[in-house]
Amino acid sequence: MSISPGIEIGIGTATPRFEDARLLRGLGRFTDDIHPAGAAFMVVVRSPHAHAGITRVDGDAARAAPGVLAVLTGADAEADGIGTLQTMVQRHRADGSPMARPPYRVLATDAVRFTGDAVAIVVGETLQAAHDGAELVAVDYDLRPAVTDVAQAESGPAVWPGDVPDNVSFVFRQGDAAATDRAFAAAHHVTRLDLRISRVSANPMEPRTATGAYDAADGTYTLHAGTQAPHKVRSELAEHQFGIPANRIRLVSPDVGGAFGMKGSPYPEYALVLWAARRTGRVVRWAATRSESFLSDYHARDQVTEVALALDEDGAFLGLRVRVLANLGAYLAFNTPHSSTNNLGGLAGVYRTPHIHAEVRGLFTNVQPHAPYRGAGRPEATYALERVIDQAAVELGIDRAELRARNLVPPEAMPFRTGLVFTYDSGDFPANMRMALDAADWAGFAARRVESEARGMRRGIGVANAIEIAGGPAASPNEEGAEIRFDPDGSATIVLGTHSHGQGHETAFRQIAATRLGLDPARVRVVFGDTATAAYGRGTFGSRSIMAGGGAFVRAAERVIARGRPIAARLLEAAEADIVFRDGRFVVDGTDRGVGVAEVAAASFVAAKLPPGSEFGLGASAIVAPGGATFPNGCHVAEVQVDLETGVVSVLRYLVVDDVGTVINPLLVKGQIHGGVAQGLGQVLMEAIVYDAEGQMLTGSFMDYAMPRASDLPCMTVISNPVPTAMNALGAKGAGEAGTVGALPVLMNAVIDALRPLGVTDVDMPASPHAVWSAIQKARIHKTRIHTKGE
Ligand code: MCN
């Protein structure tokens, strides 16, 4: 279908985004753009200490300050019955007992456990009045020792003294330990690597925001907040913080300026604005400043990993063993144990490794809670695997690409049950790698390296195969909801339970509607993000919206077609049995006489046009689970250049061959891959949350926390090698996180490749100029010592 001359729409077309007309002209409406009349402002008083007992919170001076409407503390929240935040992931300790789940209050009462922990809120007539009031809240702290480094957690001061003295929340083991041990015992060679994956903050352009309202007339709350999962956040608030039926809360998540997994959780501030609205009788607004975001958004990654790969004499992978220390932070938020334990299947990669065993120790420290961030465990798993493969290749003297090629799962082995959790349904991994190496001119790299060296630079190339689970869990993928509504003029509204915060769903779902129902995109609206509009949804995470939400849409579309068939038959004066639905139209089989869905929809509201006894309307909805999770996969090749004098790493080339199954919109998929790679590149080369010995964050602003800029990124090549999946009606695999999964390992592999001739075998993440320069100096000193000893 053509939307204007030269622009086609439908599945598979590179349709530009409909939402850009709004977003690029500054017409997007984000939570903080909504200014309800008479709104008051909330400021959160946060702990300046990483760990301290609270001996007094005194809000009297603040209460007396001009323009202050309320000062509320943790004790007030308890008195009002505001419940604690809950985690949805259950794990166990080593002895089999349930994991330690200390209470996560919306405002701390007895102690603060990270710098930024919320202690009180001040509501003011103006933002300034609330800020001034917040400065008058007196809190007496009894300082306690803190631990922020996960490697020190088990020997460090207890974050929950008395309750969890060893800081161990859980120990999670997966895989066959005995078989893995046997594989290692029989190995010709074992390669070991110790890795650190840095702590990062998602830093979306739009900081977190929330506006709460309470209607005393019927006891209902309305929350506007930029979240990825409106229905889920609402049900958590209803069940755990307020103890009311879910239908008493309406959650509206309008335009959202980036979320990246970080905005998928319920946060204390959401409950706080609603509670404050109830207490003050005013609409209450809160928006995090950038510095406050650093201190209050849930962080991600932050693992110490030991990985070992066992190989036979031909380089076949026999077993993989991984031990992870995962930094959970001080509290268990909604998804805190998720990333480090739910996606361990990614350790299998695209390889045949038969035996894999992983152990994850989930540890409390005095930092913010952990949450999923683009990839949520898959980049971490892939990083460990693809880095150890490079190291093994060097130790065995086998070319890195060749070693990978020897171990790839061939397409004819599908469905393939991996050595850990996942069963892959489809994909052509050897073709991905072949295409990537050819397109990146892997063979010509040696000449490019010489050319760089002639200019005093070091050049490195990396390859990494990426695979991830989308729309998991693997065993029982989650259901999603979609609805198609028609107005009497035949225009259609698609109502989604998923949420778009940059992915382009307003375009993608119009494309699916154009192909599946022949609907004119100009007469379609796509809406989401309001629990009062969408009956049901789980939300957007795990790259699931197209495969799960798209599947629900297709089921609803099938229902529309089934409802429309008798109406079409009447309009076409044919027998219902002769009506077929073809190319987006109801047609009389064997003829070119037909009628479109919009016309049938209009007729469905006119009694005279309906078959006798029919119901009015054509709309339909569906809540369905896909047949299975999907496994987007691909191969990344990156080329970097390192300036030995400064340690600066420049990424010169980046290429991805990806398989996201049926591509709905190649333009959107490329954009998603670009964005995912950019976030991976940021983490590998510059981003990191850093604390000092007392637990103070040293990287609390963009002056200290380096974000990647356009000039840090090369022009990327994205090549598609789609193998449709049979797991959902569209054949689509997820695309939203795929870029990040490959970017982490491939970039570090390229950096190490550049520096290996100098004797460098590892660089701390991020490979900042300082880290790279230090690694070079260390290797030089080491070499000089060996040389001197030899003399
Ligand atoms: N797509 C496609 N063909 C496919 C799969 C996807 O054309 N086979 C396109 C779709 O059109 C869709 C987009 O790619 O618009 C992403 O689809 P999907 O892979 O289903 O992922 P979700 O829409 O569920 O998005 C979630 C994913 C996640 S988990 C994170 S984190 C992330 C990401 O998307 N956060 C983002 N991409 C982001 N992009 C932006 N701009 N902002 C974020 O916060």
Side-chain angles (χ1 to χ4, degrees), residues 46-59:
R46 299 187 181 279
S47 167
H49 306 296
H51 197 189
I54 299 174
T55 52
R56 184 180 70 112
V57 184
D58 185 347

Side-chain angles (χ1 to χ4, degrees), residues 258-261 374 501-505 508 540-547 660 662-665 668-669 672 732-737:
F260 308 114
R374 209 163 191 171
H501 28 276
Q503 294 89 342
H505 294 177
T540 286
F541 52 87
S543 303
R544 67 189 295 274
S545 299
I546 291 302
M547 51 162 291
V660 298
T662 304
V663 174
I664 306 302
N665 182 332
L668 290 177
V669 169
Q672 286 295 304
K733 304 173 185 176
E737 295 162 289

Side-chain angles (χ1 to χ4, degrees), residues 588-606:
V588 181
D589 205 9
T591 75
D592 59 0
R593 284 199 311 123
V595 60
V597 171
E599 259 176 275
V600 173
S604 75
F605 291 99
V606 180

